[in-house]
Amino acid sequence: RDRAAGDASTESIALRSLATTVEAEAAVGLVEQAIELARSIGALRLELAAKQAWVDILWRVGDHDKARREATDLADEAGRRRLRQTVSLLELQSAAWAASERAWTDVRTHRDAAAKWGADAGALVERAVLASLDVVLAVASGEEASSISSIETFEQIRGGCADPTILEVIALAA
């Protein structure tokens, strides 16, 4: 039984990884398999990680409403389990989606939720995405001094981090 669970967990990780290398439409099925495998062996953290990939893929295939719903449900579940970084990353992802739609109130809501879950003191990618959101919010508000300050802070925090989400959000400020 332990060996079967180990095999299933390895397969779940492999499927999730493979899903990041194929077209989004094909990735949906792969990551759904990864979720089911993780669930079948009771590997909650693997399941949650696969679901994080899944919501991103749902967004990329254009199923925005479902991606938003699933991201909210997943963040709620992760919050109940006190999985700080998972909640933070999901809120940052949701804020970036809202920014792509220029839904500034939603950007602010998700950005603030991510900060509440420690994005401002989290991993480099969390801090950099948070700072990129601050830039786009400042630029959208039209406040020049705030925009300049946010850009300077972003440049200090970002360092060499070139996460695609950061680049997409910053492009919105241009």
Side-chain angles (χ1 to χ4, degrees):
R1 175 165 158 78
D2 287 343
R3 183 178 176 144
D7 290 347
S9 68
T10 301
E11 186 177 351
S12 177
I13 293 167
L15 286 167
R16 187 181 76 225
S17 295
L18 180 60
T20 66
T21 67
V22 298
E23 293 296 321
E25 290 77 13
V28 172
L30 292 172
V31 81
E32 286 173 346
Q33 284 181 289
I35 292 166
E36 287 307 313
L37 275 170
R39 185 177 296 138
S40 74
I41 59 170
L44 179 66
R45 286 188 189 251
L46 281 180
E47 181 182 345
L48 293 176
K51 283 184 173 182
Q52 272 185 276
W54 181 56
V55 297
D56 179 60
I57 293 165
L58 288 173
W59 184 269
R60 288 191 287 131
V61 298
D63 199 346
H64 296 179
D65 290 338
K66 186 172 184 177
R68 276 190 285 269
R69 272 193 320 276
E70 294 295 338
T72 298
D73 291 349
L74 185 53
D76 290 346
E77 175 70 19
R80 283 191 294 279
R81 296 178 184 282
R82 305 215 188 299
L83 299 173
R84 184 211 65 79
Q85 189 174 45
T86 301
V87 178
S88 171
L89 290 170
L90 285 161
E91 291 295 349
L92 291 168
Q93 188 172 39
S94 295
W97 293 340
S100 75
E101 297 177 322
R102 301 192 179 331
W104 306 122
T105 302
D106 291 343
V107 174
R108 171 66 62 194
T109 299
H110 289 294
R111 179 253 176 252
D112 291 349
K116 177 184 151 207
W117 279 93
D120 54 343
L124 176 59
V125 70
E126 291 173 89
R127 291 179 283 129
V129 172
L130 190 72
S132 73
L133 292 165
D134 289 342
V135 169
V136 79
L137 284 168
V139 170
S141 75
E143 297 175 18
E144 186 176 342
S146 178
S147 297
I148 292 168
S149 174
S150 294
I151 291 167
E152 289 171 353
T153 300
F154 168 73
E155 288 300 331
Q156 289 172 349
I157 290 171
R158 179 182 173 209
C161 189
D163 182 87
T165 301
I166 296 165
L167 302 176
E168 290 166 9
V169 171
I170 286 297
L172 295 169

